[in-house]
Amino acid sequence: MDLSNLDRYKESNRLEAKAAQGGLPRSIWETISAFANTNGGMIVLGAKERKEGTLEVSGLSNADKILDDFWNAAHSSDKLYPCVLADRDVRIEGVEGAQLIVIDVPRADRHLRPVYVNGNPMTGTYRRDHKGDYRCAASEIHAMYRDASEESIDSQIRENLSVDDLSAESIASYRTSYGIHHDSHAWTELPTDEFLCRIGAAKIDAGGAIHPTSAGLLMFGEEWRIMAEFPHFFLDYRQELDPDERWQMRITSQDDSWSGNVFDFYRRVYNNMRQALQVPFRLDENSLRVDETDAHDALREALANCLTNADYHERRGVVILWKEDELRLSNPGGFRIDIEAAYIGGNSDPRNETMMKMFSLINVGERAGGGIPDMVRKWTKVGYERPILSEEVNPERSTIVLPLRKTKAAEDGRTEKAQLQGHRQVHLTKNQQMALDLAQSQGRVTTAILAQEAGISKQTASRTLKYLSDSELLSWHGTSKRDPSQYYDTPKLVWE
């Protein structure tokens, strides 16, 4: 922040100005608590708001004394606990011939939260939203204490349940997926009870009995059993592609036609959302089709992140939306590390570490701290705009947005394809563009392949390919229109 141009700024969820003409403001401690329990922020003493909201320097006549008073109070646990500030975070600055005190409040590590004032966490814990500082409700404070624990939230043993209370069908499906990735591993032959203990879905109590963990219940339990332990548990997926309809498809955990657990929800949602990825498949070294692309890997990572970082004790549940121009994945509970640090990676801290382990064992998700940056890299690699991470408070939620819009560079590439052989630019539909992409990536495209990839009828696919052929954007090859081996490819470029 450029303090010499203070008049360019307004107060926000990361900036607070206080005139402090009468000495150290009482409200400063609430603001420090609020910043520390949210995303950090800057407090400027000796500045005030103009009528239009911009800031101006008012200056401090006794900055040294105010600074002494500040540190004397900051180190008192009756005033602020814990003290998350270091010497480097507080300083006196000279601006326009006046003195200001600048306090950079860091985002507190989850192990230190809640940061509270006046010796009472239940009445002295604050957070920051766009409206300013607000006193946290009991549910928010309890959530902070849960997150402060060294033990993963989902590792708790559920001694009132047995392994038989879990869905045998869900467990069998998971074991099938596990076997695909670990075909020679000793765990594949273990009895169900022992297998569940190895992956963290169950534990042995002091008497030798085996019970599910919270992770096992959430991943493999029936919805009604999960609700008995997590009353606010709710999973919701919606396709909202037509503004004239509320939704075109919906999957919720409260539909009694399926188990309603996290693992089965993941499988159902992924199989639907993958259809949103308008990216061509690739060929392997043996020229065999590989349906999974970097975009599919990124989508799996985003889904795993959303489901394993959810606080299933909180309201509103997991909400996943397929909208026309984006995939939006939202879960209760904030990010456990700073968002910028999440983009950089290297520090994995999932809220439900056991569930993350269970997903990673079937090659879904990343436990080494590279999940978010890897997701961003793979999503943008195929030409989509950069994924967006965001947090909300009151109530606390985390959101990952995967844009379905192509970057300008990717669109420029599409335009170039549409100008083959020097023809005028042609406006292409989504199906026509997919046909060109398939022909480009695979070397050829057929009616059957386009119909499968675009999710359209063979008749529509045939008309699409004929239009591109008539426009000389694709070349047709075959002995007749009924030739089963007929195909289309991109014509050779002729440079003039």
Side-chain angles (χ1 to χ4, degrees), residues 167 206 287 380 463:
S167 168
S287 297
T380 55
R463 287 199 302 267

Side-chain angles (χ1 to χ4, degrees), residues 182-441:
H182 306 273
D183 58 346
S184 60
H185 197 282
W187 291 5
T188 59
E189 303 299 327
L190 292 174
T192 297
D193 287 4
E194 189 173 351
F195 176 79
L196 293 176
C197 288
R198 296 294 180 93
I199 66 173
K203 284 184 178 180
I204 304 173
D205 68 11
I210 299 177
H211 305 278
T213 59
S214 292
L217 177 62
L218 289 164
M219 287 286 278
F220 305 132
E222 298 284 349
E223 185 266 351
W224 65 275
R225 291 193 186 278
I226 298 174
M227 288 283 291
E229 306 294 324
F230 298 89
H232 303 304
F233 176 80
F234 185 59
L235 308 174
D236 188 9
Y237 164 75
R238 300 192 301 270
Q239 290 179 199
E240 299 180 350
L241 305 177
D242 187 342
D244 295 329
E245 295 183 56
R246 191 175 181 186
W247 60 72
Q248 293 74 54
M249 180 182 183
R250 192 177 189 190
I251 300 171
T252 78
S253 55
Q254 295 180 351
D255 179 353
D256 61 6
S257 66
W258 63 290
S259 68
N261 60 46
V262 170
F263 177 64
D264 288 342
F265 180 77
Y266 164 81
R267 292 191 302 155
R268 286 171 175 250
V269 169
Y270 174 71
N271 285 333
N272 277 277
M273 292 183 79
R274 70 194 302 272
Q275 300 175 54
L277 306 181
Q278 300 296 327
V279 292
F281 54 80
R282 59 184 176 84
L283 301 180
D284 66 12
E285 64 275 10
N286 298 315
S287 297
L288 298 176
R289 171 175 160 164
V290 180
D291 290 304
E292 298 295 294
T293 67
D294 285 323
H296 294 85
D297 286 344
L299 175 57
R300 284 194 293 268
E301 179 66 43
L303 275 171
N305 186 287
C306 178
L307 293 169
T308 59
N309 281 289
D311 186 343
Y312 291 102
H313 292 276
E314 292 299 305
R315 297 179 184 273
R316 292 180 60 189
V318 171
V319 179
I320 298 177
L321 303 176
W322 173 4
K323 303 179 79 68
E324 183 178 7
D325 59 351
E326 68 183 25
L327 304 177
R328 178 174 290 267
L329 303 88
S330 177
N331 61 266
F335 287 101
R336 305 240 286 187
I337 59 175
D338 182 83
I339 287 180
E340 290 306 314
Y343 275 120
I344 296 171
N347 182 19
S348 179
D349 190 18
R351 180 168 279 107
N352 299 292
E353 188 173 2
T354 311
M355 292 175 67
M356 176 61 83
K357 170 189 174 182
M358 293 162 70
F359 272 116
S360 68
L361 287 172
I362 55 173
N363 281 20
V364 177
E366 169 64 65
R367 299 184 68 207
I372 293 295
D374 195 48
M375 176 197 73
V376 172
R377 179 184 62 81
K378 289 181 176 179
W379 192 254
T380 55
K381 183 179 178 181
V382 299
Y384 287 125
E385 292 180 4
R386 188 174 187 253
I388 301 168
L389 310 184
S390 64
E391 278 184 303
E392 301 174 27
V393 294
N394 197 22
E396 190 177 38
R397 294 187 69 79
S398 304
T399 300
I400 298 175
V401 174
L402 301 176
L404 294 175
R405 300 175 296 273
K406 291 288 187 174
T407 61
K408 185 178 185 303
E411 291 296 344
D412 289 345
R414 286 172 176 249
T415 300
E416 183 179 347
K417 293 178 187 177
Q419 294 175 322
L420 293 171
Q421 295 183 307
H423 286 283
R424 73 187 191 286
Q425 183 173 343
V426 180
H427 177 72
L428 300 177
T429 67
K430 185 180 293 186
N431 292 336
Q432 292 163 1
Q433 186 61 64
M434 174 169 274
L436 285 179
D437 288 341
L438 291 170
Q440 184 76 15
S441 63

